[in-house]
Amino acid sequence: EMMAFLPAAAIIFRDGGVTPLPEETRLELPREGLPKLMAQGTWSPGDLWGKAAGKGSILLASRLSLALTKTTTPTVRHSSSGQPSAPQVRWENSDDLSLYTVTTPCAQVAAGHLSDRVVTLNDTILEVGPCSTGFAVAALVAVDGHPTAQSQRLLFSLVGRSENTGWTWREDGKMLTSWGRNPKVVEGISCTLTFRNENPEGQAFALDGAGNRVSELKLGRDHGRTEFELSPDHQTMWVEFDFRAQP
């Protein structure tokens, strides 16, 4: 469920938590006659991005941009401003693993085939249980902009399959015949999260969709290491870690 990650994405964007990728893929469109070209239906932006994707994982490993230029035909250009010593964004793709990760001091994100896998992102370890589709997305983000190890407030999000109540599919499974109704149903996923945090105290809370604390959850602490186990029984997609000193 993409909407579930808007809080984490907003924090990363607001704080500039990810260094811009050095690679850029730019779609250049003709400034003159653009409406006419689109009306002719001889090309579409989706087709052009699809051709650019022929260069492997370029669309997942580069910045995407759009420009109106004096060119007479749509063009896709690739450029690079240099390669950082430690890329923060990685894309792994093989027969048995597709995994997109973001690893920074303030944010650790993993998306892809996470079912029954262990993923290590810096000092953060994700041990994800089985997912019905094999796909899930997890994110640990520092709310206060400090590195995970020093942050006093962090947000953890984990989502796999989600759908509206009463969704029905065509027999071939390729198209919905009914979009169903509210409420949305979300698959619960088991996960063990281990990360380093140097603050002496800590609490964990399950959050509802409005960000309100619903219940306090068990949090393990051992010499700067924090271990947390998320269960479907917790009935949440979001967990707040609060390491502020309690009065």
Side-chain angles (χ1 to χ4, degrees), residues 19-24 61-63 79-84 87:
T19 303
L21 292 165
E23 301 287 340
E24 179 183 4
S62 71
R63 291 176 288 124
S79 62
S80 176
S81 59
Q83 183 66 28

Side-chain angles (χ1 to χ4, degrees), residues 81-193:
S81 59
Q83 183 66 28
S85 57
Q88 295 178 326
V89 178
R90 296 179 181 272
W91 169 245
E92 302 175 50
N93 191 16
S94 62
D95 292 339
D96 62 344
L97 174 65
S98 292
L99 188 62
Y100 184 78
T101 61
V102 177
T103 309
T104 77
C106 305
Q108 292 86 50
V109 181
H113 293 155
L114 295 180
S115 183
D116 287 318
R117 289 189 179 276
V118 178
V119 179
T120 301
L121 306 170
N122 283 348
D123 289 331
T124 299
I125 302 175
L126 284 167
E127 301 177 63
V128 183
C131 313
S132 61
T133 64
F135 182 90
V137 183
L140 178 67
V141 179
V143 176
D144 54 14
H146 294 298
T148 303
Q150 288 83 42
S151 175
Q152 292 189 324
R153 290 185 65 213
L154 296 107
L155 175 65
F156 178 62
S157 311
L158 176 63
V159 180
R161 181 182 178 181
S162 65
E163 59 185 50
N164 294 331
T165 299
W167 261 11
T168 56
W169 292 86
R170 203 169 63 184
E171 289 186 3
D172 60 9
K174 295 182 178 180
M175 184 177 295
L176 283 168
T177 58
S178 172
W179 284 95
R181 62 189 184 280
N182 286 327
K184 187 173 289 292
V185 180
V186 180
E187 176 185 18
I189 301 174
S190 298
C191 174
T192 299
L193 172 69

